[in-house]
Amino acid sequence: MFSHKQETVLKFWGFSWIAYSVSLLCLVFFLNTQSILFLELRKVVDMFNLLLLLFGSYAFIHIKIPAYWYRFSLYLVLLAIICMIYGFDLYAFYLPISVYQIIITAFTIYIIAKYWNISSAEKMISLLVFLIWGIGKTVLSFAAIFSHLSDNTYVIEIILSNVVNFCILTIYIEYMSSKSGLADALYRTVVDNAKDAIFYYRLKPYEAFEYVSPSIDTLTGYHPSDFYNNPRLYVQLVTDHYFDIVDDAFHGNIAHTDKHIIPIIRKNGETFWGEINFTVLKDEKEQPFAVEGILRDISMLKYAELTQINEKENRNKQLSYISHELRTPVTLIAGYLTAIEDGTLSSENERNEAMKIITSKTMLLKNLIDDLDQLSRMETHQFTFDFITYTITDIMDYLIRENLADIEASGFEVELIADSNKLQKHWIIADQNRINQVFSNILVNAIKYSADHKKIVISFDLDPSEENFVVSVRDYGIGIPPDKLPYIFDRFFRDSNASAIKGRGLGLTICKEIIIAHGGKITAVSNPDFAGSKFIFTIPLYNEAGNMPPPS
């Protein structure tokens, strides 16, 4: 009863019961000795009996006990001591304490009536019992001064005391039961509404799921009842590779706690990455009797982890590619410079030829470094764009003017498809120099990979929804193998089938970043239905409600 784990209200009412027992003990001593001292002591103990009941009433509603009750009680105890020392009569001794007891009883009844959150029937019974007890206790103890009370009178007092204590105990049990029910309801609400699935798997006397939270339906597609009806349903959630691990966990054959990250198969066949935390519950003999656990969906975290791994691998590949691309020209330059320096190349023609190669490889290095710098600044949003509003025909005329002569000088036939009347009504926001960089790069690739089929088809148009400006360049060259097509915009990607054709593997990557900065898309098409390849890029049209591409 007096443990720190018990409620404060029970402590107060427990001490009140003890105080009443001491009061009865004082009464027994008085009846045997007829000493007034025991009546006086009994009156003081009775005062604390009621005071502790009042304190319990405050604690029941979690209200701090006012300090004035302590002060008044101290004053009355001092008065009692003075009365006993100087031998005052019982009237002077009993009167102030009896009035104080009536006040305590009134306050107790007031607190019960106004603040106790119990049923109406319980409240009425409590008020009646406390009222009879408080007033009856005061009247009986005060009546003892005037006449000798019979034993039946004291029996009535004892009965009233037990009724009060029984009432208190009943209310407290009901109170704790309601708190327990509330806590259980809150716990169940939290568990049932948690996103993570919580389960309790019993091992003895037979295996079965005791509890599975409703969120398991969202995670796996299986209803909790499916698990209750099939204790081995967890087998269907994992692949054969993870079966032994999960089966051991569900049989308690793990350490006290264990965590596994495994792919979970939903009822519809889809898979997600799940983290299962198992906890094995053991009896006093250290034998497992149940397993509880939590299943959560960590697909986002797992995919982020895999993405980081892929990015690290890509960075390593890129460093390898850069090293390879730099090593070849540097090796050639160093070799020719050494040959010139040690006199291996003695003739003027040999030295001139070597200087041409050195110059060519130096320019290759410069272009490679420029491309890497440009690409790096684009991806880190440090590259500047000069966005201006243009009509589509303005951009179209600019691209043709800047590139058509070079194409024709290469001996290629150009077929131009464009409806100027249709296009001149629409606008885009673009950096025309960067768009020309994309267009020119695509044309250069078309020329390089179409040496035997010198024709290029250039188209300027709108998409069917008239929301984007569409530029396409088609060649009739060697085309792109289907298995290579998804990778042509990756850094340093080169088609092994076209390894004889010079290139740095960065041009299309830069083109993609430029188009993305304009809010558009760039794609490539190459399939057995037609010869060659077709590159297409789009730029959103500008209108009054349109949005400008994000600044870089």
Side-chain angles (χ1 to χ4, degrees):
M1 179 182 294
F2 305 112
S3 167
H4 291 294
K5 296 181 180 179
Q6 297 294 335
E7 290 282 344
T8 305
V9 58
L10 193 60
K11 293 181 181 179
F12 282 124
W13 286 341
F15 280 117
S16 172
W17 204 334
I18 292 175
Y20 179 67
S21 299
V22 174
S23 172
L24 289 179
L25 189 61
C26 290
L27 177 62
V28 171
F29 286 146
F30 168 71
L31 294 175
N32 290 329
T33 63
Q34 295 299 312
S35 172
I36 300 299
L37 176 63
F38 290 111
L39 282 180
E40 293 173 338
L41 289 174
R42 183 173 187 245
K43 191 63 178 176
V44 173
V45 174
D46 282 342
M47 177 188 73
F48 283 103
N49 178 18
L50 286 172
L51 188 65
L52 288 168
L53 286 176
L54 174 65
F55 287 176
S57 302
Y58 276 112
F60 191 80
I61 56 175
H62 304 289
I63 292 180
K64 185 179 179 181
I65 300 170
Y68 53 75
W69 290 117
Y70 298 105
R71 291 197 294 270
F72 290 156
S73 301
L74 178 61
Y75 297 155
L76 289 175
V77 170
L78 292 175
L79 175 61
I81 293 173
I82 292 173
C83 290
M84 285 187 286
I85 292 175
Y86 291 99
F88 291 172
D89 58 26
L90 289 178
Y91 296 105
F93 186 88
Y94 268 42
L95 182 61
I97 294 179
S98 297
V99 172
Y100 186 57
Q101 287 178 322
I102 293 174
I103 294 173
I104 291 174
T105 301
F107 266 90
T108 303
I109 292 173
Y110 170 75
I111 292 172
I112 294 173
K114 185 170 183 178
Y115 296 108
W116 277 24
N117 186 23
I118 57 178
S119 66
S120 300
E122 291 176 341
K123 185 174 291 189
M124 289 301 297
I125 294 173
S126 301
L127 290 173
L128 183 62
V129 169
F130 274 92
L131 179 63
I132 295 174
W133 161 251
I135 295 177
K137 181 70 177 170
T138 304
V139 171
L140 288 175
S141 61
F142 202 82
I145 302 175
F146 300 99
S147 62
H148 179 74
L149 299 177
S150 66
D151 293 342
N152 292 334
T153 305
Y154 295 121
V155 171
I156 294 174
E157 182 181 350
I158 294 172
I159 292 174
L160 283 175
S161 174
N162 285 309
V163 170
V164 168
N165 288 312
F166 179 76
C167 179
I168 289 172
L169 185 60
T170 302
I171 292 173
Y172 180 75
I173 292 174
E174 181 66 25
Y175 168 71
M176 292 304 295
S177 176
S178 63
K179 284 186 65 177
S180 176
L182 177 60
D184 182 67
L186 291 174
Y187 172 77
R188 184 56 63 94
T189 299
V190 172
V191 171
D192 287 352
N193 290 280
K195 291 184 178 180
D196 299 338
I198 301 170
F199 61 85
Y200 182 92
Y201 190 75
R202 182 183 63 216
L203 299 176
K204 297 179 179 180
Y206 55 88
E207 296 178 1
F209 282 97
E210 285 281 343
Y211 176 77
V212 180
S213 62
S215 53
I216 194 71
D217 196 349
T218 304
L219 285 176
T220 67
Y222 292 98
H223 192 268
S225 60
D226 296 329
F227 289 87
Y228 298 142
N229 296 329
N230 183 5
R232 300 274 295 171
L233 183 60
Y234 62 83
V235 173
Q236 301 179 28
L237 299 180
V238 297
T239 61
D240 294 342
H241 179 73
Y242 295 95
F243 172 77
D244 291 338
I245 296 174
V246 174
D247 195 52
D248 284 343
F250 271 95
H251 283 87
N253 299 326
I254 57 173
H256 178 62
T257 59
D258 204 358
K259 179 175 73 173
H260 298 286
I261 297 176
I262 59 178
I264 304 296
I265 305 172
R266 291 190 173 99
K267 188 175 182 179
N268 61 6
E270 295 178 354
T271 303
F272 70 93
W273 283 101
E275 177 186 279
I276 310 179
N277 291 275
F278 291 99
T279 301
V280 179
L281 306 180
K282 298 182 178 181
D283 56 22
E284 61 277 2
K285 297 181 180 179
E286 291 299 310
Q287 295 298 315
F289 67 87
V291 176
E292 60 183 16
I294 300 174
L295 168 64
R296 60 171 54 96
D297 185 351
I298 61 165
S299 297
M300 296 297 293
L301 294 176
K302 190 65 178 180
Y303 291 149
E305 178 186 343
L306 294 175
T307 300
Q308 287 181 338
I309 294 173
N310 290 334
E311 288 178 350
K312 184 177 180 180
E313 292 178 351
N314 289 336
R315 284 195 298 271
N316 292 337
K317 287 181 181 178
Q318 290 169 12
L319 290 173
S320 175
Y321 292 150
I322 293 172
S323 175
H324 174 74
E325 292 291 331
L326 293 175
R327 187 182 297 113
T328 302
V330 167
T331 301
L332 286 172
I333 292 172
Y336 278 107
L337 288 175
T338 301
I340 293 173
E341 184 179 9
D342 61 16
T344 302
L345 301 177
S346 57
S347 69
E348 186 69 22
N349 289 335
E350 290 177 331
R351 287 195 293 271
N352 289 338
E353 188 65 27
M355 289 305 299
K356 289 180 181 179
I357 295 174
I358 291 172
T359 302
S360 173
K361 298 304 178 182
T362 302
M363 293 304 298
L364 177 64
L365 286 174
K366 178 181 180 302
N367 292 335
L368 176 61
I369 293 171
D370 287 345
D371 285 348
L372 286 171
D373 177 64
Q374 186 176 131
L375 185 59
S376 175
R377 286 190 289 130
M378 282 183 182
E379 291 181 342
T380 56
H381 303 292
Q382 297 176 1
F383 199 86
T384 58
F385 287 86
D386 187 14
F387 286 111
I388 298 177
T389 305
Y390 298 94
T391 64
I392 291 181
T393 50
D394 288 340
I395 290 290
M396 181 181 69
D397 293 342
Y398 174 76
L399 296 178
I400 294 172
R401 184 172 62 252
E402 290 292 317
N403 296 278
L404 187 59
D406 293 335
I407 301 172
E408 292 176 343
S410 300
F412 275 75
E413 174 191 350
V414 177
E415 180 182 345
L416 183 62
I417 302 173
D419 184 349
S420 298
N421 293 329
K422 175 183 176 182
L423 298 179
Q424 68 181 356
K425 302 175 183 178
H426 298 279
W427 299 70
I428 61 171
I429 297 176
D431 182 331
Q432 69 172 4
N433 291 325
R434 298 301 172 196
I435 295 300
N436 182 56
Q437 183 178 350
V438 174
F439 187 69
S440 177
N441 189 285
I442 294 174
L443 289 175
V444 168
N445 284 342
I447 292 171
K448 285 196 300 183
Y449 293 97
S450 307
D452 298 332
H453 304 81
K454 296 181 178 295
K455 181 179 179 180
I456 294 176
V457 179
I458 302 174
S459 170
F460 299 97
D461 201 355
L462 303 177
D463 64 357
S465 62
E466 295 194 356
E467 295 180 351
N468 296 280
F469 173 44
V470 181
V471 180
S472 68
V473 176
R474 178 186 173 183
D475 62 61
Y476 293 83
I478 62 176
I480 305 170
D483 60 325
K484 308 293 184 182
L485 201 58
Y487 308 105
I488 61 173
F489 294 101
D490 293 347
R491 290 186 180 190
F492 299 105
F493 177 79
R494 297 293 308 282
D495 185 359
S496 58
N497 297 328
S499 57
I501 301 175
K502 294 182 179 180
R504 298 181 295 277
L506 290 174
L508 289 179
T509 307
I510 295 173
C511 290
K512 179 181 177 181
E513 293 296 328
I514 291 174
I515 294 302
I516 289 175
H518 282 75
K521 296 180 180 180
I522 183 169
T523 57
V525 179
S526 184
N527 57 58
D529 293 340
F530 62 84
S533 304
K534 185 177 183 181
F535 282 81
I536 306 164
F537 66 85
T538 65
I539 300 175
L541 297 180
Y542 170 78
N543 52 56
E544 294 181 359
N547 295 318
M548 195 156 180
S552 299

